[in-house]
Amino acid sequence: MRHGMRFLSLPEMVSRYVHSGATLYIGGFAFDDPLAVAHEIVRQGIRDLTVIKSSGGIVVDLLIGAGAIRRLLVSHLWNSVGPTPAHAFRRAVERGQPPIELEELSYGAFTCGLLAGGMGLPFMPTTPLMGTGTFGERTFLPDKLATVRSPFDPASEVVVVKAIAPPLGIFHVARVDREGTAQILGPVAETRLAMAACQRVLLIAEEVVDTAAIRSRPECTVAFGAQVEAVAVVPFGAFPTDCHGYYRRDLAYHLEYAQATASPEGFEAYVAREVRGVADHGEFLARLGAERLAGLATRQERWWSVA
Amino acid sequence: MRHGMRFLSLPEMVSRYVHSGATLYIGGFAFDDPLAVAHEIVRQGIRDLTVIKSSGGIVVDLLIGAGAIRRLLVSHLWNSVGPTPAHAFRRAVERGQPPIELEELSYGAFTCGLLAGGMGLPFMPTTPLMGTGTFGERTFLPDKLATVRSPFDPASEVVVVKAIAPPLGIFHVARVDREGTAQILGPVAETRLAMAACQRVLLIAEEVVDTAAIRSRPECTVAFGAQVEAVAVVPFGAFPTDCHGYYRRDLAYHLEYAQATASPEGFEAYVAREVRGVADHGEFLARLGAERLAGLATRQERWWSVA
Amino acid sequence: MSFARMLLRAAAEIPEGGVVFVGFHWPMLVARVARRVYGRRFLEVYENGVVVDRLSEEVPTSPCDFRFMDSAVAALGSMEALYLVLGRGRCDLAILDAPIVDRHGNVDSTCVGPYRHPRVRLAGSGGAAELGAFGRTLLVTSNREARSYPAQVPFVTTPGLVVGGAAREELGYPSGTGPVGLVTPLGMLRPDAGRRELLLVERFAGVSPDEVAATFGWPAVGRWDDVAVWPEPDAEALALVDDELARARSNFYRLPEEVVG
Amino acid sequence: MSFARMLLRAAAEIPEGGVVFVGFHWPMLVARVARRVYGRRFLEVYENGVVVDRLSEEVPTSPCDFRFMDSAVAALGSMEALYLVLGRGRCDLAILDAPIVDRHGNVDSTCVGPYRHPRVRLAGSGGAAELGAFGRTLLVTSNREARSYPAQVPFVTTPGLVVGGAAREELGYPSGTGPVGLVTPLGMLRPDAGRRELLLVERFAGVSPDEVAATFGWPAVGRWDDVAVWPEPDAEALALVDDELARARSNFYRLPEEVVG
């Protein structure tokens, strides 16, 4: 195809597209969170990223603790099982270890910013946020939010959010076909908007399926090959979060992560063992064990039926 | 349920909710066009409506010719099979027979106006339309479009569309369950936005299905009972347009309509015969004949499988 | 016991047949208690686009824990949930976890201490700003400590009745929105008649004036005798809540110390 | 024959592997001809949210004629199609039916004569404004009459190179957008080097200078000798177009008089 979508391994994808100092949108909203990507970024020693992500979770916490992130735009960041603190995030913000620059939007404003960016429009009215800290506090995006007077009601000041249009985004999806048509099964949060907003889109997918399966659920399509730079097939790429139709979140792993990373030393040991201590995501999964992964599986045949 | 959604017959629905002089959004975009509703409005002699519809089609042409519409906001109006002229619309606009007030938006601006109305926001940036006739010509909505200076780029003037938030909308959907959860199978055009934008929503549906069918395709849900005032079950309610999953458009009927309504006298005879000459949509369908309708059926079991 | 009462009291606010926007954390348990104890039927809308109308077997750890997708009637996106439903005013109630809340009902879920040098960094807004901007908001908290109830929060994540000195209506928040109640382990606070600050209108049995005075960082009681006492829940209700908490615990919920079994 | 050449010439513009936003009417036939005659592979995006990547057996009468849904890879909405794909600049080409077009490539699909008192009322914009605002737009028309090519259209439905005296870039249209060609039964017009008006750069065999002068309401030719002649299509291509037109006719397409069989 003219647009040149190609299949790559995850290490190849990360080394070709994600460079130190880059700005990177990471898909997922506490589901389809691509931990496999974060691990690979850390393994490749990439640093100084500007990361944009709606819901931080373990993916961003890990990247912060590993020193991969310089600037971060999020709407919230936690370990949602428990919930337990995201320790690396807390150490970075409370103690500057390591230092990050943090910028925040409410999830609604974040969504509207992606909507504007995805639609090719310069800004979008959004949630009234006057008086909130989110409106008032600005760091590396001093013009993230503003107000305009409504041309239809001069008495009314409307909060608007500037378009968010990241140069590069990486998203976990459920499945693709050979042409790169990508689907998420179930709720999509801001995924469609974010994929449109990103100038270039990378995908990691659970599997390649026959195009007949894609065509039986065309309403689940979130991207097509011509929008996509590259695809990596990475089973359990969203572990330990949910990939609907394939597996559910590993609750225990969320706690294990929180406990292991509660101290800086623990964090280092965790990364040495679980991230740098393995060659790739396959080895990471092998250590978890087939039985553990099988226990998470939720595959339902209705998603694959093409009758 | 507290919100009081109820099942009504189509004649009851129209007589309770659609009064002369009302403002009515009509759903459908050359598919799911509820001709059954237009027929019932004409049978009940309702007049002076302000109708808002994205794509006019036979539904609006019929309402114009029958004198039911005083004001009309559309993005286009034609008989898309052929295509052939929408004769009643042309007579109204070219010769004032009967007179209507016509206001227009491009389909994109129309969609953005519904997006703003549906989101509860006062306006939305939209397609740049400066210099177009659509931007310049205004009739009964003098402030349909405006420009604002971007707060993020003072050199840039941005075209914005005022929120469209009709008080009442009537939409054809594929199916509902007993609780009023409504689904459209396949593409949705502006339906989700329009349903959100309308203050009160009425539905006509092909059939009531078990909630298990609904739950097997939750991504196809366009409304739930608490958003809906009333539902009428009207098989072939979108005839002669497509209702995806149930039937496809009757191409010949589109031409028959165009030929029958090419003159004012023909139009009157058509309405007397096909609309006022039958008691209800069931009788209209019976005259078409079961064989003709069966020939349009496209029901595929995959939409009903709950495996 | 006070945690169970808090869940029960909050659950009682959910209107039969209503549409309820449910925030993360305790609000998800409140919704379950409303179904199990009060038999309420209502629609739960979540910010990720999930819409649920019945109880799932397991307690989901967050709205993005899709073990409850079998109870879903719609799987949409965040724009649909946050704006086409909540922003458009379709929700009867929005239930929000309130880690720190002030006299005006402003909620801070971002930081303890100054924003740029916080003593404790919390999760941040997510959709909490939207719940407070567009919703009739029921705030719930399991906190008993005075530090959770300052006169003024250090960071307004979710706008309350008065934000930065201005009434919320003056700031562009839609009319009819804002906090309608704050359920705490001590009892229920409501906006006063002028809708400017939260006052205790109902207390749980055994809660004393001193305890209230020591907890809230503002004069949260007018006349003590005007504060109603919420009837103690019966054994059946408590047993159902206990069962719910056992399910939550088995899915790794961190429960308040009083109920950690 | 001139209609077949028009379809073939327009179809040749569709880029292999591209994303093409396809408007109603002739553009849908152009897309089919590109697949059948040239074997092009590309994605068709329609304003109602349908995305198609292969030929359907039947000729759909409009994008809302779902007999072609079996060839669809995506079933989305209009916001997705018009903005998230087209508005975001993801399309290589947008193909638009142009009932009336002027020297600047402005298209009128709204009215013949004054807007408020039209001699002939046409369908109106639909997404035509968006195709011209956001797309690299290929205009196609089967019209041969001079009235379809005025120097200035009475109503600008779709913005061209110069709109109301101002260059489109000055009016806020994204750079890189606008008409890239106009395919007519006489040949192909392109924006001139200054991108201000449409000039005939290719003619079909047998088209004369007089015919051109009598058709276009502006001086549409620089030097006649600079106008290339498009090679006549071969018999195989014409046979495929004939078959396509037969299918269209069987689905009630109203074809130009020359081909009405």
Side-chain angles (χ1 to χ4, degrees), chain D residues 9-259:
Chain D
R9 182 64 194 90
E13 292 289 295
I14 291 183
E16 171 67 14
V19 180
V20 182
F21 205 98
V22 183
F24 278 14
H25 201 211
W26 302 146
M28 298 185 72
L29 289 187
V30 168
R32 292 178 61 88
V33 168
R35 290 192 197 279
R36 292 194 65 188
V37 176
Y38 303 124
R40 298 279 159 79
R41 296 168 303 165
F42 55 97
L43 218 55
E44 296 165 38
V45 182
Y46 291 93
E47 68 186 26
N48 58 3
V50 174
V51 182
V52 166
D53 74 345
R54 59 176 70 171
L55 203 64
S56 60
E57 175 80 14
E58 281 194 72
V59 179
T61 51
S62 101
C64 301
D65 180 347
F66 293 149
R67 60 194 70 211
F68 78 153
M69 271 300 291
D70 286 347
S71 54
V73 293
L76 312 171
S78 46
M79 190 194 82
E80 289 79 0
L82 287 171
Y83 293 96
L84 300 188
V85 179
L86 179 64
R88 184 64 175 99
R90 303 283 189 200
C91 292
D92 300 284
L93 195 68
I95 312 182
L96 180 67
D97 197 50
I100 307 172
V101 56
D102 71 18
R103 73 189 297 165
H104 298 304
N106 295 298
V107 179
D108 179 358
S109 51
T110 300
C111 51
V112 177
Y115 177 71
R116 303 219 176 194
H117 302 285
R119 285 198 304 284
V120 181
R121 172 63 210 205
L122 307 174
S125 172
E130 281 68 36
L131 270 75
F134 292 131
R136 294 179 66 254
T137 316
L138 181 70
L139 310 175
V140 297
T141 173
S142 61
N143 292 333
R144 303 186 67 98
E145 306 76 13
R147 65 170 183 266
S148 299
Y149 304 96
Q152 191 177 330
V153 294
F155 185 96
V156 177
T157 310
T158 300
L161 304 162
V162 176
V163 194
R168 60 181 285 129
E169 296 76 11
E170 294 165 25
L171 295 172
Y173 296 97
S175 66
T177 62
V180 296
L182 166 63
V183 184
T184 76
L186 279 63
M188 164 77 86
L189 290 80
R190 299 274 194 194
D192 72 347
R195 284 184 54 89
R196 295 307 211 104
E197 59 182 50
L198 298 174
L199 295 183
L200 188 76
V201 295
E202 263 176 49
R203 62 181 172 86
F204 296 129
V207 171
S208 70
D210 287 353
E211 198 176 355
V212 170
T215 301
F216 298 101
W218 65 95
V221 177
R223 267 169 40 94
W224 181 253
D225 291 349
D226 293 342
V227 178
V229 180
W230 200 60
E232 284 292 275
D234 61 25
E236 194 186 353
L238 288 172
L240 286 169
V241 172
D242 274 353
D243 179 68
E244 201 49 48
L245 295 180
R247 289 167 193 246
R249 199 181 297 111
S250 76
N251 277 351
F252 300 90
Y253 265 75
R254 295 171 77 206
L255 299 174
E257 278 182 21
E258 59 168 287
V259 289

Side-chain angles (χ1 to χ4, degrees), chain A residues 187, chain C residues 44-52 63 66 68-69 72 74-77 81:
Chain C
E44 296 165 38
V45 182
Y46 291 93
E47 69 186 25
N48 58 4
V50 175
V51 181
V52 166
F66 293 148
F68 79 154
M69 271 300 291
L76 311 170

Side-chain angles (χ1 to χ4, degrees), chain A residues 213-230:
Chain A
I214 297 287
R215 286 161 203 278
S216 75
R217 295 265 181 174
E219 60 281 2
C220 293
T221 297
V222 292
F224 26 83
Q227 294 174 293
V228 174
E229 289 280 317

Side-chain angles (χ1 to χ4, degrees), chain B residues 78-268:
Chain B
W78 71 353
N79 181 332
S80 66
V81 176
T84 50
H87 293 290
F89 172 59
R90 285 191 51 180
R91 281 191 293 270
V93 177
E94 295 168 14
R95 292 188 259 151
Q97 296 174 345
I100 61 166
E101 288 179 73
L102 176 64
E103 188 69 89
E104 297 178 73
L105 286 169
S106 67
Y107 184 43
F110 188 96
T111 299
C112 291
L114 292 173
L115 180 61
M119 291 176 78
L121 298 170
F123 62 85
M124 196 68 65
T126 187
T127 310
L129 290 167
M130 293 297 290
T132 67
T134 307
F135 190 90
E137 294 282 357
R138 289 121 192 267
T139 61
F140 65 90
L141 295 176
D143 60 355
K144 62 180 180 179
L145 294 163
T147 61
V148 300
R149 207 158 281 283
S150 169
F152 306 113
D153 175 8
S156 152
E157 268 209 315
V158 178
V159 175
V160 298
V161 60
K162 191 175 180 180
I164 301 172
L168 182 68
I170 188 161
F171 296 84
H172 181 269
V173 297
R175 60 191 188 181
V176 294
D177 66 10
R178 293 303 315 172
E179 285 77 43
T181 313
Q183 298 192 327
I184 286 179
L185 314 176
V188 296
E190 80 284 3
T191 307
R192 291 179 192 283
L193 309 178
M195 282 188 178
C198 290
Q199 188 60 40
R200 296 192 300 167
V201 170
L202 307 173
L203 301 180
I204 69 171
E206 288 297 312
E207 65 171 341
V208 177
V209 297
D210 192 87
T211 187
I214 297 288
R215 286 162 203 278
S216 74
R217 296 264 181 174
E219 60 280 2
C220 293
T221 297
V222 292
F224 25 83
Q227 293 175 291
V228 174
E229 289 280 316
V231 178
V233 177
V234 185
F236 282 94
F239 176 95
T241 67
D242 287 71
C243 174
H244 195 55
Y246 286 80
Y247 48 86
R248 58 190 205 172
R249 54 171 59 181
D250 188 320
L251 299 180
Y253 194 87
H254 282 78
L255 270 291
E256 291 162 27
Y257 175 86
Q259 287 159 359
T261 61
S263 70
E265 302 71 29
F267 185 93
E268 291 307 324

Side-chain angles (χ1 to χ4, degrees), chain A residues 62-81:
Chain A
L62 180 85
L63 289 172
I64 291 172
I69 294 182
R70 187 160 70 91
R71 290 177 158 179
L72 175 64
L73 172 64
V74 285
S75 84
H76 68 190
L77 200 165
W78 70 354
N79 181 331
S80 67
V81 176

Side-chain angles (χ1 to χ4, degrees), chain A residues 29-31 75-78 80-85 89-90 93-94 102-109 111-112 115 126-134 137-139 157 186-190 193 242 244 248-249 251-252 255 300 302, chain C residues 24-25 47-50 58 61-62 64-67 69-70 75-80 82-83 110 115-127 129-130 133-134 155-159 163-164 171-174 251-254:
Chain A
F29 181 73
F31 63 90
S75 84
H76 68 190
L77 200 165
W78 70 354
S80 67
V81 176
T84 51
F89 172 59
R90 285 192 51 180
V93 177
E94 295 168 15
L102 176 65
E103 188 69 89
E104 296 178 72
L105 286 169
S106 68
Y107 184 42
T111 300
C112 290
L115 180 61
T126 187
T127 311
L129 289 168
M130 292 298 289
T132 67
T134 306
E137 293 282 357
R138 287 121 193 267
T139 62
E157 269 209 313
V188 295
E190 80 284 4
L193 309 178
D242 288 71
H244 195 56
R248 58 191 207 174
R249 54 170 59 180
L251 299 181
L255 270 291
Q300 291 173 294
R302 66 185 172 93
Chain C
F24 279 13
H25 202 212
E47 69 186 25
N48 58 4
V50 175
E58 281 194 74
T61 51
S62 100
C64 300
D65 181 347
F66 293 148
R67 60 195 69 213
M69 271 300 291
D70 286 347
L76 311 170
S78 46
M79 189 194 82
E80 288 80 0
L82 287 171
Y83 293 96
T110 299
Y115 177 71
R116 303 221 175 192
H117 302 284
R119 286 198 305 283
V120 180
R121 171 63 210 206
L122 307 174
S125 171
E130 281 69 35
F134 291 131
F155 184 98
V156 176
T157 311
T158 301
V163 193
L171 295 171
Y173 296 97
N251 277 350
F252 300 90
Y253 265 76
R254 295 172 76 208

